[in-house]
Amino acid sequence: MGEVLDGRALAARIREEVRREVEAFAARHGIRPSLAAILVGDEPACALYVRNKARAAGQAGIRSETFHLPARTSQVELLELVDQLNEREDVHGILPQLPLPEHLDPQAVFDRLDPRKDVDGLSPYNVGRLVLGRPALVPCTPLGILELVRATGVELKGARAVVVGRSNLVGKPTALLLLAEHATVTVCHSRTRDLATHTREADVLVVAAGRPHLVTADMVKPGAVVVDVGITREEGGIVGDVDFAGVQAVAGWITPVPGGVGPMTVAMLLRNTLQAARLQLEGGAP
Ligand code: NAD
């Protein structure tokens, strides 16, 4: 029976660590790290994520502001806000909450962000640094995934890692982080033929497809570390991409949904905000 990888407990430890470092930062500089979240439209899930992140920031001693724009906001108006926040010295981290409404181009927003304030690591500069193996600000969810895998103590060097999903937000940066840890990485996606032949090879299996029940017990190598990133709202709550009960019987470790990757994403956002504030006040790359 696989062990449950408790993202809530690990996230709580990291948040406490960040809180202490934030206090030290505030003592050094006389100001607190600060985060500006941009929420466009009235999608309840997005609003909830932003509220949770703002609350977590407050608990860590990080100042936060939320800029709530109406759904009809134009691309030009959104970019104007990004420009203003780029200019403000008292804002260290900028977080455009995804997904944006259909008519807005998220990459254009990240293209415009000051890379030193890009706490979700999605600007071309930060993505480039990650590809080069010289990470600066790294996307929060992939960082959280890596922390969960590390918490198992499993040797990543030379391990077979399979990432299901190739999005810029989750799949690709996760694959790059695992590669930097010297794993042998395979990235699968919706056009992959015979997904199970790949997943069955994985010592570390990260599933970020947004397809409930995609991964079943017969697709998992005995003893593997299984990280379920998926979040799909169904009647009765949210579900991941992995058939938890079945896979737990085979895996060595498995993350629950909820309570796995989700809380880690928030913890990593706080850590990145502190890092962004340090970059701006204490220097270093970028
Ligand atoms: P996305 O839709 O941008 O990408 C999904 C990826 O999965 C694509 O690359 C696609 O090719 C692949 N895919 C889809 N169906 C597949 C199939 N049947 N077989 C193999 N590959 C398949 O989504 P995303 O932004 O990467 O997010 C993925 C999931 O993770 C979503 O459920 C999202 O809600 C969740 N998510 C969770 C967190 C968190 O903090 N827990 C953060 C971000 C995203």
Side-chain angles (χ1 to χ4, degrees):
M1 194 63 134
E3 222 175 288
V4 176
L5 262 174
D6 184 346
R8 281 200 186 106
L10 183 56
R13 285 204 293 281
I14 292 171
R15 284 167 61 170
E16 176 53 25
E17 205 175 278
V18 172
R19 193 190 63 74
R20 274 189 263 116
E21 289 179 32
V22 162
E23 288 313 317
F25 178 94
R28 280 201 299 282
H29 296 288
I31 57 163
R32 293 191 163 273
S34 84
L35 176 68
I38 303 177
L39 172 64
V40 188
D42 298 304
E43 174 61 45
C46 288
L48 178 69
Y49 288 145
V50 168
R51 271 202 309 280
N52 286 344
K53 288 170 181 174
R55 190 183 319 121
Q59 287 167 356
I62 293 172
R63 278 198 311 114
S64 81
E65 279 178 83
T66 297
F67 294 83
H68 189 177
L69 304 178
R72 59 170 193 284
T73 300
S74 70
Q75 188 80 37
V76 171
E77 288 166 332
L78 179 55
L79 293 179
E80 275 169 8
L81 174 60
V82 171
D83 288 341
Q84 286 166 21
L85 296 173
N86 279 343
E87 287 299 316
R88 270 180 55 182
E89 277 190 13
D90 63 332
V91 168
H92 304 118
I94 304 173
L95 178 80
Q97 180 61 48
L98 301 179
L100 294 170
E102 284 278 302
H103 67 285
L104 297 170
D105 173 10
Q107 197 53 54
V109 175
F110 289 105
D111 289 352
R112 194 79 155 240
L113 269 190
D114 179 342
R116 297 173 314 155
K117 299 191 176 188
D118 169 28
V119 284
D120 223 350
L122 294 172
S123 67
Y125 180 87
N126 284 318
V127 175
R129 301 271 317 201
L130 185 59
V131 173
L132 291 169
R134 299 169 65 209
L137 287 164
V138 176
C140 302
T141 299
L143 268 184
I145 294 167
L146 187 67
E147 289 286 347
L148 283 163
V149 175
R150 279 198 182 125
T152 65
V154 161
E155 172 78 283
L156 274 172
K157 205 185 292 174
R160 291 289 306 264
V162 173
V163 179
V164 181
R166 60 170 163 185
S167 70
N168 292 334
L169 184 64
V170 186
K172 279 187 212 166
T174 301
L176 288 163
L177 287 175
L178 291 165
L179 192 59
E181 296 290 328
H182 311 292
T184 300
V185 183
T186 302
V187 181
C188 299
H189 47 80
S190 54
R191 314 285 172 87
T192 296
R193 290 194 196 121
D194 196 359
L195 183 63
T197 59
H198 299 281
T199 58
R200 272 199 286 267
E201 293 286 309
D203 303 306
V204 174
L205 176 61
V206 177
V207 192
R211 299 277 180 277
H213 319 295
L214 179 64
V215 171
T216 46
D218 57 310
M219 297 167 74
V220 174
K221 181 174 174 176
V225 177
V226 179
V227 179
D228 187 354
V229 189
I231 296 181
T232 304
R233 260 150 253 282
E234 286 189 342
E235 254 177 64
I238 66 166
V239 293
D241 293 348
V242 175
D243 169 20
F244 184 87
V247 171
Q248 189 185 17
V250 181
W253 290 266
I254 182 169
T255 61
V257 178
V261 175
M264 291 300 292
T265 297
V266 177
M268 294 300 124
L269 172 67
L270 305 180
R271 190 190 269 176
N272 277 356
T273 304
L274 172 62
Q275 191 190 339
R278 282 181 175 152
L279 286 173
Q280 286 153 69
L281 276 89
E282 297 170 1

